Amino acid sequence: MTTVDSGSSRYRETAVAPAPPPTFFNTRLARVLTGLFSVVLGIAIWEVLSWRFQPLFLPSPQLTLYAIGELWNDGTLLQSIGASLARILAGWSLGLVIGIPVGIVMGYFSFVRRLLDPYVEFFRFIPPIAFVTLAVIWLGPGEASKIALILYTTIFIVTINTIAGVLAVSQLRLRAAASLGAGRVQTLLTVIVPSTVPYMVTGARLAMGNSFLTIVSAEIVAAQVGLGSMIWTSRNYGKTEWVFVGIITLGVLGFVCDRILRFAVRRLLRRYAVQV
């Protein structure tokens, strides 16, 4: 009896022993410093490479920074950011609104999946740039054609990820819900949809990245304002640094939008155990 108590005591002491403190490289400050070091190193390499080439081929970071100030002061950069960001968010949001319900229905009802799968598998391999001319002809050169192209590049990614989430739901959970008397609709709303949320978030993040890829081709063909239009117009003036400004701006905007999405997911969808 005494031996058992002594062992239990030692077990409790071991269980409540404090975890070792994290090393410096695992702290938040270290991660921030690592990211900053990576950015500074990249800019330094860019600067060194620019010494060996003409500005038309590879403008220096200083020349690119001057171009940012130039485009910002005359309002071109801010106007381009606003136009492109509005189109991306509109098309991306429509893709989520349409793609998520379609993916849930296709994943849950096998007949619907067999019915729509040929179209999904056919169109998802056609790049949006192939439809630029048709979009302008059918919808005109206004905002509708550009938003439609963003919608096109978004909807299939979201749909396929949502379908994968529905099909990945554990059969044990489905049988447990059925044994408790849940019908098909109730099982769909209380078991399948919550289990699919992480896949929806992944699809939304991937679709946002593709939206930034598509906006350039859409604006090059049919836009007077936007980052894609600014990049395309710069060739007429031989301003390679303007091209760099557009590329850097797209990357920064994409980074910021993804961080905002991840922050919103952590705040609003914490109960669904989404890892972002």
Side-chain angles (χ1 to χ4, degrees), residues 24-44:
F24 173 75
F25 292 102
N26 293 328
T27 62
R28 184 173 183 179
L29 176 61
R31 292 194 293 268
V32 172
L33 292 177
T34 302
L36 289 176
F37 173 77
S38 176
V39 172
V40 172
L41 180 62
I43 294 175

Side-chain angles (χ1 to χ4, degrees), residues 213-236:
L213 298 177
T214 305
I215 193 62
V216 175
S217 58
E219 291 179 340
I220 282 177
V221 176
Q224 299 299 320
V225 180
L227 293 172
S229 176
M230 186 184 76
I231 291 173
W232 185 250
T233 303
S234 64
R235 72 182 182 91
N236 298 329

Side-chain angles (χ1 to χ4, degrees), residues 4 17 35 73 84 90 104 113 119 130 151 214 221 237 244 254:
V4 174
N73 290 333
S84 296
I104 291 174
R113 185 165 65 253
Y119 297 97
L151 167 63
T214 305
V221 176
Y237 300 97
F244 272 65

